[in-house]
Amino acid sequence: MPPAAEFAADWEAGWNSHDLDRIMAHYSPDIVFRSKKALALVGTGEMRGHVALRAYWQAALDKQPDLHFTVRDVFAGHAMMVITYENHRGVLAAETLYFGADGLVIQAAACHAG
C-alpha cells in the first residue's frame, strides 16, 4: 500500500485536475466501487471494473464542471485507508479504499453527509 498521506495528496490532485486517466490510475482494472450518488447518474450504486467506474465518474465530472475536493483527514489501516474530504459545495464525504498487493485500489466506497 502506498503511504497514506502521499496517496491522498495525489488522489486529491487527480480529482481536481479532472483528468479521468489520472484518477483511474489509482484503481485496479477489477475495482468494485460503491456509491449511493451513482444511482441517479448511472442507475446503479455498484460499479465493477474500469469501464463501469469510468462511465460513472465521467458522468459526475460532466455534471459538475466546477468539482473540487479538499482532503480533510486520512486514516491508514491494514491494506486500507479512509480519506475524508469536502467538495466544492461544502459537502463532507468519506472514501474507504482497500488496496491489493500491487498498491492499486481493489475495492472502494464513498459516503456523503446529508
Side-chain angles (χ1 to χ4, degrees):
M1 187 175 104
E6 181 181 310
F7 179 90
D10 193 52
W11 179 90
E12 176 187 68
W15 275 105
N16 292 339
S17 75
H18 292 209
D19 179 341
L20 204 45
D21 289 332
R22 184 174 177 185
I23 296 165
M24 294 298 299
H26 296 116
Y27 299 86
S28 166
D30 298 323
I31 181 69
V32 176
F33 186 87
R34 293 176 181 91
S35 174
K36 186 176 176 181
K37 297 265 185 186
L39 283 168
L41 289 174
V42 295
T44 183
E46 181 175 285
M47 284 59 57
R48 290 183 173 271
H50 266 198
V51 172
L53 185 57
R54 186 180 190 92
Y56 164 47
W57 283 343
Q58 184 65 65
L61 288 169
D62 289 347
K63 188 172 180 173
Q64 303 176 87
D66 56 343
L67 182 77
H68 183 86
F69 292 161
T70 302
V71 170
R72 295 292 180 217
D73 290 296
V74 181
F75 303 92
H78 176 69
M80 56 90 62
M81 73 177 70
V82 176
I83 299 172
T84 63
Y85 59 98
E86 186 174 334
N87 73 14
H88 60 293
R89 295 181 181 143
V91 175
L92 294 175
E95 195 144 325
T96 302
L97 309 151
Y98 294 89
F99 292 82
D102 60 2
L104 294 175
V105 178
I106 57 172
Q107 190 173 125
C111 295
H112 303 82

